[in-house]
Amino acid sequence: MGIKHGCLKERRRVVARVGYRWYTRLVALACYALLLMPGFLQVAYCYFFSSQVRRSIVYGDQPRNRLDLYLPTNTNGPKPVVVFVTGGAWIIGYKAWGSLLGLQLAERDIIVACVDYRNFPQGTISDMVKDVSQGVSFVCNLIDRFGGDPNRIYLMGQSAGAHISACVLLEQAIKESRGESTTWSVSQIKAYFGLSGGYNLFNLVDHFHNRGLYRSIFLSIMEGEGSFEQFSPEVRIKDPRNREAASLLPPIKLFHGTSDYSIPSDASINLVEALKGVGAEAEVILYEGKSHTDLFLQDPLRGGKDDLFDHVVSVIHAGDEEALAKDASAPPRKRLVPEILLRLARHISPF
């Protein structure tokens, strides 16, 4: 009786600690969003009312199989395309989270397709990978109808979206190396951009548990520890059976802040080392002192010069002298949030 009573008390203490941690993170998230609201409102207005945005185009038969297209105002000639997969801890991802990036890239004559996908608990990791692959297939096969160049498609993901899109790319390469029938080809992807992603689930499970994404939830999302290897690109690429698949991969560029505590920058460093170890073309670019949200939110909302944005655009426009000349003369991007609010948001960010 005494043992049962002690176990019950300990369980209550654990529940109380879990509840308190989630409550504090929820409050921090609300304050973070409130501080950035001046920028969010401007982006939301464009998202809902701009003629450049085509929202919720159906690409599959699942409820979340929708994508948003951000189209340049200049319609002269086919445009390069970025397929973007948003983050959200595999739980709160949504295609509209990519609207700021989509609008800003469209200003540089680049079409952006933000792909939505089933989140947990509506789906697990295999569903997410399947959805995103189907979205990529839609873009590869039909983007010419919207003014896109099917020969200049780039795949990009942020945070959980970087993990999912990396899984999609590697899975596609493995299928092609085995001669399986596919609806799109890795050769159509000119480069992969991974922003603040995690690529080895074995290394992340304890880290996430300590930060509040508890082991039981994470294991449910990833379909158990037995699936970790299948959905860990860093591990899977080292398998000798996938050596031919590695040779099919496009150039891979990973971006990560050194002060990212949500997903440490070692995640990108280790994947690049693994890719290089099997002969793939890969590079990691680290941003000193940048956090998990600096590169994707605070810096773009700050306006002006943005090294990450400029790097991505320069890769996409490489070899296009006219586009590079326009980039060089493009006006500085508009500031959307006052600096003091950005600094406060960074200080209280729960990410």
Side-chain angles (χ1 to χ4, degrees):
M1 190 65 150
I3 294 175
K4 287 184 178 179
H5 182 68
C7 290
L8 182 60
K9 286 178 65 177
E10 177 61 25
R11 189 178 305 164
R12 285 173 177 167
R13 282 197 293 267
V14 170
V15 170
R17 286 198 300 270
V18 169
Y20 175 76
R21 182 181 294 182
W22 276 98
Y23 175 76
T24 55
R25 287 186 179 275
L26 185 62
V27 170
L29 178 60
C31 294
Y32 176 79
L34 187 63
L35 289 167
L36 300 181
M37 193 58 67
F40 291 163
L41 289 175
Q42 295 176 70
V43 174
Y45 180 84
C46 292
Y47 178 73
F48 286 107
F49 298 108
S50 173
S51 60
Q52 291 176 252
V53 184
R54 305 278 184 89
R55 291 181 287 114
S56 296
I57 297 171
V58 177
Y59 70 79
D61 58 6
Q62 295 295 325
R64 296 290 294 269
N65 287 177
R66 306 288 187 272
L67 60 83
D68 295 331
L69 284 181
Y70 298 82
L71 305 173
T73 55
N74 173 16
T75 58
N76 296 330
K79 308 298 182 189
V81 183
V82 170
V83 181
F84 183 66
V85 186
T86 63
W90 303 274
I91 298 172
I92 58 170
Y94 184 55
K95 57 188 173 61
W97 301 166
S99 53
L100 178 57
L101 177 71
L103 291 165
Q104 292 182 337
L105 285 176
E107 291 178 352
R108 299 296 184 90
D109 288 343
I110 298 167
I111 293 175
V112 179
C114 287
V115 178
D116 208 4
Y117 54 91
R118 282 171 285 178
N119 283 207
F120 182 81
Q122 189 178 25
T124 54
I125 185 62
S126 61
D127 299 313
M128 301 175 201
V129 170
K130 179 181 178 181
D131 287 353
V132 171
S133 183
Q134 198 168 353
V136 174
S137 177
F138 178 94
V139 172
C140 287
N141 289 291
L142 298 175
I143 199 61
D144 57 334
R145 298 183 183 180
F146 302 92
D149 186 345
N151 297 312
R152 288 189 293 166
I153 297 175
Y154 299 81
L155 180 59
M156 183 176 186
Q158 187 264 340
S159 192
H163 166 251
I164 295 168
S165 54
C167 288
V168 166
L169 188 66
L170 182 55
E171 176 67 20
Q172 189 72 11
I174 291 172
K175 286 181 178 179
E176 290 184 28
S177 70
R178 295 173 179 171
E180 297 180 25
S181 176
T182 59
T183 58
W184 61 281
S185 174
V186 171
S187 64
Q188 293 176 270
I189 307 300
K190 297 307 172 190
Y192 172 78
F193 305 115
L195 174 57
S196 307
Y199 310 99
N200 187 333
L201 301 182
F202 294 99
N203 293 342
L204 291 174
V205 58
D206 290 332
H207 174 77
F208 284 147
H209 180 81
N210 294 331
R211 289 189 58 81
L213 181 55
Y214 299 108
R215 177 183 291 271
S216 59
I217 299 174
F218 189 73
L219 289 176
S220 296
I221 295 171
M222 300 304 166
E223 303 171 6
E225 198 164 349
S227 296
F228 275 15
E229 181 174 346
Q230 180 182 354
F231 297 109
S232 294
E234 179 196 326
V235 177
R236 204 174 186 195
I237 197 65
K238 295 177 182 178
D239 189 330
R241 293 171 296 178
N242 296 328
R243 183 60 61 93
E244 185 178 347
S247 67
L248 301 177
L249 293 173
I252 291 174
K253 293 183 179 292
L254 305 184
F255 309 93
H256 222 120
T258 60
S259 293
D260 187 336
Y261 301 114
S262 293
I263 301 178
S265 57
D266 284 351
S268 291
I269 294 171
N270 293 340
L271 177 58
V272 165
E273 289 178 354
L275 288 164
K276 287 182 175 180
V278 294
E281 182 181 343
E283 177 186 13
V284 60
I285 299 172
L286 300 177
Y287 294 87
E288 191 65 34
K290 296 293 185 179
S291 70
H292 193 67
T293 54
D294 278 335
L295 297 173
F296 184 64
L297 272 180
Q298 283 98 280
D299 286 352
L301 290 170
R302 181 173 282 113
K305 183 175 175 56
D306 183 334
D307 290 339
L308 170 60
F309 180 84
D310 291 343
H311 190 106
V312 169
V313 171
S314 69
V315 172
I316 295 172
H317 284 161
D320 186 337
E321 296 302 325
E322 182 180 351
L324 291 172
K326 288 179 66 176
D327 293 336
S329 61
R333 291 183 300 164
K334 177 185 174 184
R335 175 183 283 275
L336 301 178
V337 177
E339 185 63 27
I340 187 170
L341 296 184
L342 289 170
R343 291 181 181 273
L344 286 171
R346 188 183 195 276
H347 183 69
I348 67 168
S349 171
F351 303 107

